[in-house]
Amino acid sequence: MNCDFSKLSQSELAGVRRELEDRYAEFQARNLKLNMARGKPGAEQLDISDSILESANPKFAADGSDCRNYGVLEGLPEMRKFFGDVLGIDPANIIVGGNSSLNLMYDAMARLMLFGTQGNTPWSRLPKVKFLCPAPGYDRHFAVTEEFGIEMITVPMTEDGPDMDMVEALVKEDDSVKGIWCVPLYSNPEGVVYSDETVTRLASMKCAAADFRIFWDNAYGVHHLYEVVELKDIFAACAEAGNPDRALYFFSTSKITYPGAGVSMVASSAANCAEILKHMTIQTIGHDKLNQLRTLQFLKDADGLRAQMEKQASLLRPKFELVLEILERELAGTGLAQWKKPRGGYFVALDTLDGCAKETVRLAKEAGVVMTGAGATFPYKKDPRDRNIRIAPTFPPLSELAVAMELFCICVKLASVRKLMA
Amino acid sequence: MNCDFSKLSQSELAGVRRELEDRYAEFQARNLKLNMARGKPGAEQLDISDSILESANPKFAADGSDCRNYGVLEGLPEMRKFFGDVLGIDPANIIVGGNSSLNLMYDAMARLMLFGTQGNTPWSRLPKVKFLCPAPGYDRHFAVTEEFGIEMITVPMTEDGPDMDMVEALVKEDDSVKGIWCVPLYSNPEGVVYSDETVTRLASMKCAAADFRIFWDNAYGVHHLYEVVELKDIFAACAEAGNPDRALYFFSTSKITYPGAGVSMVASSAANCAEILKHMTIQTIGHDKLNQLRTLQFLKDADGLRAQMEKQASLLRPKFELVLEILERELAGTGLAQWKKPRGGYFVALDTLDGCAKETVRLAKEAGVVMTGAGATFPYKKDPRDRNIRIAPTFPPLSELAVAMELFCICVKLASVRKLMA
């Protein structure tokens, strides 16, 4: 049982601090080199897909078309059907990309800037463009937004997704608010699942901007650690509310097969897909269809994908449980940190006392454990309360993860005690 | 021996026309479905790379890095070295892309529009941007230029590349002229090789625009049909002239291994590469490294590539020679058409009498042979003299190519005779 640090006297805190400093010094002496920074799958997660590389790969699509040659811009019919089956999307509204869904998001934003959408003014010609950024969120989303000079407005996350009262208020009057980033299932980094009500409100809210767009990055759409958690259908909700063109839906097999060589997709309304293809046909003759065939040969169908994701989960569960176990053992009841217990996704997010995140991450780094930079989960890398830290448990082996997490908890406590004594 | 049509009387022309119309009708009755529209390799050209698909593919780069996972944005060191060896470029100045060099060109243009380069104003914020388009040229280059609202200025091609007197005059005073498209070796569609003097003048000419850029699409850089033809080093020429940042060099293995699943690259000065990577790191975590390994496992090194290109040439030579033989037999001495005999590349370009290209292509299409659209080789698809037709001999098997070319020559003559009689 841990003690509640807020109840300790200054002299008790001084004693705890000395003890923590000794333990920290022991870790420093071990010259660790551990990394919990990125949501990068571990080698054992890659190994389970290796029949992709070890077996002969097909050349021809089901319709006989030669996948070695140019063409089929929108992606192979079987690949679009696969994504459709897995995600409950009409394959006609799916466009297959290359190996990176981030690239599809970046390009979607670039097109909105340069060309606008559905007859609206290109965003680069407007005096001001703003984007809603639920935070804590995904640093690479914020980097894309910043790249294009779009002003980011931080929206707090709740247990059910972004604070929808605030979102609705922001989009209602101001037509320079052009969109919102969403990781609706197992949000990065907190693992929040958007409630049905949140999805409905996002789809149906009144927006001053006719070209308001939801960037629906369902990166962890099939990445359950335990039971299957369902997400409300954003397209059905948008269509029902009379906003059929509002959502751009992104997904990939990067964290299903190989992070560096998966297959990505973007889905949207028929009108949006036509517009995307109109530009994409100028940009490329087509994406890598052999990799689509290769991926499908391995995953086969929606059932095959489920089996693969169960294997992934069986590899990831022990890591998530270890992280949560050590957090519980070291920090529960101390009043120094709060965290959620995600049922899927790639991260555990932890909130320290206000003003302690940067110092915690600095301490960890100086003892050889690299975390995602404090602040990275907020727009402009500025966490207003300097408290959120993203823990990425997937890459290190279990043994290293245990060491890294023990050190991390010491760092949380040490940073907190010093803060409490300051 | 063909007769010179300009010497025929109206009644002689009428007789020839009837004869041609009969022969044309015979072809129409055959219900042909042949395609000479795109520079698409034939199936036999793809087969010679199939050990790529049939053998186990490697996972790890030479430095041990796991190519299945995220990362290595700039491309594998061995892939950069390979491109460097093949093209005589410093690997440090090479960035590896995905499966499409067109995509790298489009993205380069998009970045110039949105962000500008080396501190200059983004092109999208300028009242007017112009680009020099040597023509006949590559329709997809012109499509990219048009996509971004850039005004295209047609520059005639000579035997040595673009008309450099005109180019120099255009860039000298007008700082809205921001760049030029070049296919310097075996130009699309004429097969022109830029002379050393042309390369030197492009590299050293005085440009009013500090951010003038040469889009150096060396698509056919190793695609010799006969002897190896050398191209002067554009980077050395630019550096020597004090314009180190002027050239963006594009290349890919699309027409070396698989058109749909090759590996692309862009090369430029250190300063330009740093700028490209600064944006690319926001756009993607990295391109498909497994495909880089796969491609290298097959091609091995510069010697391996030469051997592969000799195989390609042995498959393509008979097709080019057949096309030229039929053109010679049917059209030489008629005064109805002119063409060059390319020593490499993917096309034969033919000039009809003024005002006959569209009609020729229409006639061919109505008899079941699809050619590249007349005009496609010019900006805005407008051939001012309506005379240039691109013949793409690579895709059809030899037997089909012979039939298609015979019909094509009939169409050239028929369109010409009707014109001469009009």
Side-chain angles (χ1 to χ4, degrees):
Chain A
M1 188 63 193
N2 295 309
C3 65
D4 182 344
F5 276 57
S6 71
K7 296 196 174 137
L8 298 182
S9 67
Q10 287 288 314
S11 73
E12 282 170 326
L13 283 172
V16 170
R17 185 177 68 176
R18 273 191 302 276
E19 200 185 302
L20 288 166
E21 281 167 349
D22 288 348
R23 286 179 66 195
Y24 181 74
E26 281 166 34
F27 272 93
Q28 272 191 309
R30 290 165 70 176
N31 288 315
L32 299 174
K33 271 196 180 148
L34 306 175
N35 196 313
M36 288 197 298
R38 301 295 330 171
K40 201 170 161 177
E44 73 283 6
Q45 288 180 265
L46 310 179
D47 293 343
I48 61 172
S49 299
D50 276 355
S51 74
I52 292 178
L53 295 177
E54 287 153 9
S55 54
N57 293 155
K59 304 170 205 176
F60 299 100
D63 64 7
S65 70
D66 191 332
C67 294
R68 301 170 300 178
N69 223 324
Y70 289 120
V72 198
L73 180 67
E74 69 282 7
L76 295 177
E78 50 265 59
M79 192 79 228
R80 299 163 80 200
K81 179 178 186 307
F82 171 83
F83 280 130
D85 288 348
V86 166
L87 301 170
I89 302 174
D90 182 348
N93 295 336
I94 290 174
I95 298 167
V96 182
N99 74 325
S100 164
S101 60
L102 181 65
N103 201 325
L104 289 175
M105 295 177 222
Y106 181 100
D107 286 4
M109 197 71 91
R111 284 190 300 267
L112 287 160
M113 293 295 295
L114 282 164
F115 311 115
T117 183
Q118 306 304 342
N120 293 283
T121 306
W123 295 359
S124 64
R125 297 212 198 122
L126 298 173
K128 175 70 95 180
V129 176
K130 300 173 193 162
F131 230 74
L132 305 185
C133 298
Y138 181 29
D139 53 352
R140 289 188 188 272
H141 287 166
F142 303 152
V144 169
T145 327
E146 196 170 0
E147 163 97 339
F148 293 108
I150 295 171
E151 184 181 318
M152 293 184 267
I153 301 175
T154 299
V155 175
M157 285 290 286
T158 74
E159 297 283 330
D160 293 319
D163 177 338
M164 284 308 301
D165 292 342
M166 183 170 169
V167 168
E168 285 166 345
L170 285 164
V171 301
K172 198 178 172 182
E173 309 280 345
D174 184 354
D175 70 358
S176 72
V177 176
K178 292 295 188 190
I180 185 169
W181 287 108
C182 295
V183 181
L185 197 65
Y186 312 127
S187 72
N188 176 349
E190 296 177 296
V192 166
V193 175
Y194 284 26
S195 69
D196 288 2
E197 193 199 328
T198 298
V199 176
T200 307
R201 289 173 75 178
L202 282 165
S204 59
M205 62 191 181
K206 276 212 193 308
C207 298
D211 51 356
F212 184 91
R213 290 292 176 265
I214 300 170
F215 275 57
W216 197 251
D217 180 7
N218 199 11
Y220 310 109
V222 295
H223 300 63
H224 316 290
L225 285 170
Y226 303 94
E227 77 286 359
V228 169
V229 174
E230 299 284 351
L231 178 68
K232 189 176 161 83
D233 182 342
I234 183 73
F235 288 128
C238 284
E240 203 172 309
N243 301 311
D245 300 330
R246 183 172 285 181
L248 296 167
Y249 190 128
F250 303 94
F251 185 76
S252 84
T253 67
S254 294
K255 291 188 182 85
I256 296 170
T257 58
Y258 294 142
V263 180
S264 65
M265 59 137 257
V266 55
S268 197
S269 65
N272 284 344
C273 284
E275 193 179 78
I276 293 170
L277 287 172
K278 192 186 77 178
H279 294 295
M280 198 182 266
T281 195
I282 310 293
Q283 185 179 28
T284 181
I285 306 174
H287 295 100
D288 185 341
K289 297 180 296 298
L290 291 174
N291 206 41
Q292 296 173 31
L293 283 184
R294 198 178 276 135
T295 301
L296 282 181
Q297 181 187 33
F298 176 69
L299 290 174
K300 292 188 177 68
D301 53 24
D303 282 340
L305 175 126
R306 270 187 286 276
Q308 171 80 352
M309 294 318 291
E310 277 167 25
K311 283 189 204 168
Q312 294 281 10
S314 71
L315 294 169
L316 289 181
R317 263 195 311 269
K319 293 187 173 182
F320 276 81
E321 289 174 358
L322 180 69
V323 164
L324 292 168
E325 192 185 296
I326 295 176
L327 289 178
E328 189 73 21
R329 191 183 72 210
E330 298 294 327
L331 295 173
T334 61
L336 303 182
Q338 292 178 296
W339 59 93
K340 294 192 176 70
K341 293 175 184 168
R343 309 294 291 173
Y346 256 62
F347 302 100
V348 176
L350 178 137
D351 280 332
T352 63
L353 296 181
D354 284 13
C356 289
K358 272 208 179 100
E359 177 63 7
T360 299
V361 170
R362 189 191 67 78
L363 285 168
K365 190 176 179 187
E366 300 215 334
V369 172
V370 177
M371 313 287 302
T372 310
T377 54
F378 280 80
Y380 308 106
K381 297 186 184 159
K382 280 180 197 151
D383 176 357
R385 297 174 63 179
D386 182 26
R387 63 172 186 168
N388 191 255
I389 299 174
R390 185 178 83 165
I391 300 167
T394 57
F395 190 69
L398 270 174
S399 57
E400 291 185 9
L401 189 61
V403 176
M405 281 305 299
E406 275 180 52
L407 171 69
F408 173 74
C409 290
I410 291 170
C411 296
V412 171
K413 287 194 250 190
L414 188 52
S416 307
V417 170
R418 285 176 178 168
K419 181 87 181 174
L420 291 169
M421 293 182 71
Chain B
M1 189 62 191
N2 294 311
C3 66
D4 182 343
F5 277 58
S6 70
K7 297 196 173 135
L8 298 182
S9 67
Q10 288 289 314
S11 73
E12 283 170 325
L13 283 172
V16 172
R17 186 176 67 176
R18 274 191 301 278
E19 199 185 303
L20 287 166
E21 280 166 351
D22 288 348
R23 287 180 65 196
Y24 180 74
E26 282 166 35
F27 273 93
Q28 271 191 312
R30 289 165 71 176
N31 288 315
L32 299 173
K33 271 198 179 146
L34 305 175
N35 196 311
M36 287 197 299
R38 301 294 330 170
K40 202 170 158 176
E44 73 284 7
Q45 288 180 265
L46 310 178
D47 293 344
I48 61 171
S49 300
D50 276 355
S51 73
I52 291 178
L53 295 176
E54 287 154 9
S55 55
N57 293 155
K59 304 169 205 176
F60 299 101
D63 65 6
S65 70
D66 192 330
C67 294
R68 301 170 300 179
N69 223 324
Y70 288 120
V72 198
L73 179 67
E74 69 282 7
L76 295 178
E78 49 265 59
M79 192 80 227
R80 299 164 78 201
K81 179 178 186 309
F82 171 83
F83 280 130
D85 287 348
V86 166
L87 301 170
I89 301 174
D90 182 348
N93 294 337
I94 290 173
I95 298 167
V96 183
N99 73 325
S100 163
S101 59
L102 181 66
N103 202 324
L104 289 176
M105 295 175 221
Y106 181 100
D107 286 4
M109 197 72 91
R111 284 191 299 267
L112 287 161
M113 292 296 294
L114 282 163
F115 310 117
T117 183
Q118 306 304 344
N120 294 283
T121 306
W123 295 358
S124 64
R125 297 214 197 120
L126 298 173
K128 175 70 93 180
V129 176
K130 301 174 193 159
F131 230 75
L132 305 185
C133 298
Y138 181 30
D139 54 351
R140 289 188 188 272
H141 288 165
F142 303 152
V144 169
T145 327
E146 195 170 3
E147 161 97 339
F148 293 109
I150 296 170
E151 184 182 320
M152 293 184 269
I153 301 175
T154 300
V155 174
M157 286 290 287
T158 73
E159 298 282 330
D160 293 319
D163 177 337
M164 285 307 302
D165 291 342
M166 182 171 169
V167 168
E168 285 167 345
L170 284 164
V171 301
K172 198 177 171 184
E173 309 279 346
D174 184 353
D175 70 357
S176 73
V177 176
K178 292 296 190 189
I180 185 169
W181 286 108
C182 296
V183 181
L185 196 66
Y186 312 126
S187 73
N188 177 348
E190 296 179 294
V192 166
V193 175
Y194 284 26
S195 68
D196 288 2
E197 191 199 330
T198 298
V199 176
T200 306
R201 289 173 74 178
L202 282 165
S204 59
M205 63 191 181
K206 276 214 194 301
C207 298
D211 51 355
F212 185 90
R213 290 291 176 267
I214 300 170
F215 275 55
W216 196 251
D217 180 6
N218 199 11
Y220 310 110
V222 295
H223 301 63
H224 316 291
L225 285 170
Y226 302 95
E227 76 287 359
V228 169
V229 174
E230 299 284 351
L231 177 68
K232 190 177 159 83
D233 181 342
I234 182 74
F235 287 127
C238 284
E240 204 173 309
N243 301 312
D245 299 331
R246 184 173 284 181
L248 296 167
Y249 189 127
F250 303 94
F251 185 77
S252 84
T253 66
S254 294
K255 291 189 182 83
I256 296 170
T257 58
Y258 294 141
V263 180
S264 66
M265 58 136 258
V266 54
S268 197
S269 65
N272 284 344
C273 284
E275 192 179 77
I276 293 169
L277 287 172
K278 192 186 78 179
H279 294 295
M280 199 181 264
T281 195
I282 310 292
Q283 186 179 26
T284 180
I285 306 174
H287 295 100
D288 186 339
K289 298 179 295 298
L290 291 174
N291 206 39
Q292 295 173 32
L293 282 184
R294 197 179 277 134
T295 301
L296 282 181
Q297 182 187 33
F298 176 69
L299 291 174
K300 292 188 177 67
D301 52 24
D303 282 339
L305 174 127
R306 269 187 288 274
Q308 171 80 353
M309 294 318 291
E310 278 167 25
K311 284 188 205 171
Q312 295 281 10
S314 71
L315 295 168
L316 289 181
R317 261 194 314 267
K319 294 187 172 180
F320 277 80
E321 290 174 358
L322 180 69
V323 165
L324 293 168
E325 192 184 295
I326 296 176
L327 289 178
E328 189 73 21
R329 192 184 71 210
E330 298 293 328
L331 296 173
T334 62
L336 302 182
Q338 292 178 295
W339 59 93
K340 293 192 177 70
K341 294 176 182 166
R343 310 293 293 172
Y346 257 62
F347 303 100
V348 176
L350 178 137
D351 280 332
T352 63
L353 297 180
D354 284 12
C356 288
K358 272 209 179 98
E359 177 63 7
T360 299
V361 170
R362 188 191 68 78
L363 286 167
K365 191 178 178 184
E366 298 213 337
V369 172
V370 178
M371 312 287 301
T372 309
T377 54
F378 281 78
Y380 307 107
K381 298 185 183 160
K382 281 179 197 152
D383 177 357
R385 298 173 63 179
D386 182 25
R387 63 170 186 167
N388 192 254
I389 298 175
R390 185 177 82 166
I391 301 168
T394 57
F395 190 68
L398 271 173
S399 57
E400 292 186 9
L401 190 59
V403 176
M405 281 306 299
E406 275 178 53
L407 170 68
F408 173 74
C409 290
I410 291 169
C411 296
V412 170
K413 287 193 249 190
L414 188 52
S416 306
V417 170
R418 286 178 178 169
K419 182 86 181 174
L420 291 168
M421 295 182 71

